[in-house]
Amino acid sequence: MLDRVLAKRIVPVIVLDHADSAEPLAEALLAGGLDIMEITFRTEAAEESIRRIAKRFPEILVGAGTLLENDQVARAKDAGAVFGLAPGLNPRTVAKAAEVGLQFSPGVMTPSEVEQALALGCKLLKFFPAEAAGGTAMLKSLAGPYGHTGVKFIPTGGVTSANLAEYLKLPVVAAIGGSWMVDKQLVNEGKWEEITRLTREALAAAAAAR
């Protein structure tokens, strides 16, 4: 998973109201060159959306986000998700993910949370809410004492096309999580070509930041 994340360096954070949007959205992202996506468990459509994408597009690394409960972890895995993320660090969900074989990235914001995540065996961590938590300055500070451990972060929350390069230039950042290229309104209005265009632009910006 880490190799795939490092290759693209962008994880689109998706909220789907309708499962029927899942497959055309996946096609739009693939057309833009992106083969990774995070579908958040914030709506009733999440589980079915993951199931449809996993079945039709095996080439896509599909993950489940906002996994707050053990049953969500199990349902995400059963639906075909190959990785999971959470906004915070809950040892119970980390343990459940390990039990069912789901690669999991808990959310962290402080040094104590980074240490707890490392103690639980997690080295690819979601940094959330990125901008509100200090942005790149905070990540640079965390890299000092923890960079040698091999920990990598996926900053999410307030990351946009305007500031993604600042994050991606940091060695401790594996990828960024963003939603502007898969904006909920664009998805609900079926503006697939616009999503493809924004995805291409985001990938080009990420490549330029290497």
Side-chain angles (χ1 to χ4, degrees), residues 180-192 194-195 198:
W180 73 91
M181 79 289 289
V182 287
D183 180 82
K184 192 174 180 179
Q185 185 173 346
L186 292 176
V187 173
N188 287 339
E189 293 178 1
K191 294 186 176 179
W192 312 123
E194 178 66 3
I195 290 171
L198 291 171

Side-chain angles (χ1 to χ4, degrees), residues 4 9 32 36 39 64 88 112 115 138 154 158 169 179 210:
R4 292 280 294 274
R9 308 204 72 195
I36 181 170
I39 297 177
S112 294
E115 290 189 21
M138 183 63 169
I154 303 176
K169 287 177 181 176
S179 58
R210 290 185 183 278

Side-chain angles (χ1 to χ4, degrees), residues 35-50:
D35 60 357
I36 181 170
M37 57 199 302
E38 170 195 342
I39 297 177
T40 62
F41 258 64
R42 302 180 199 173
T43 68
E44 295 293 328
E47 184 176 355
E48 177 61 21
S49 297
I50 291 171

Side-chain angles (χ1 to χ4, degrees), residues 10 161 164-165 168-169 180 199-210:
I10 292 178
S161 58
L164 72 86
L168 292 176
K169 287 177 181 176
W180 73 91
T199 300
R200 285 199 186 107
E201 286 184 357
L203 285 172
R210 290 185 183 278

Side-chain angles (χ1 to χ4, degrees), residues 119-204:
L120 292 171
C122 303
K123 286 197 172 184
L124 180 60
L125 309 177
K126 182 171 186 171
F127 178 60
F128 178 85
E131 281 291 280
T136 56
M138 183 63 169
L139 282 169
K140 288 175 184 177
S141 295
L142 290 173
Y146 301 115
H148 70 282
T149 67
V151 68
K152 296 287 184 180
F153 297 97
I154 303 176
T156 307
V159 183
T160 68
S161 58
N163 62 14
L164 72 86
E166 298 172 27
Y167 283 96
L168 292 176
K169 287 177 181 176
L170 301 180
V172 78
V173 170
I176 57 94
S179 58
W180 73 91
M181 79 289 289
V182 287
D183 180 82
K184 192 174 180 179
Q185 185 173 346
L186 292 176
V187 173
N188 287 339
E189 293 178 1
K191 294 186 176 179
W192 312 123
E193 291 183 3
E194 178 66 3
I195 290 171
T196 294
R197 184 187 69 79
L198 291 171
T199 300
R200 285 199 186 107
E201 286 184 357
L203 285 172

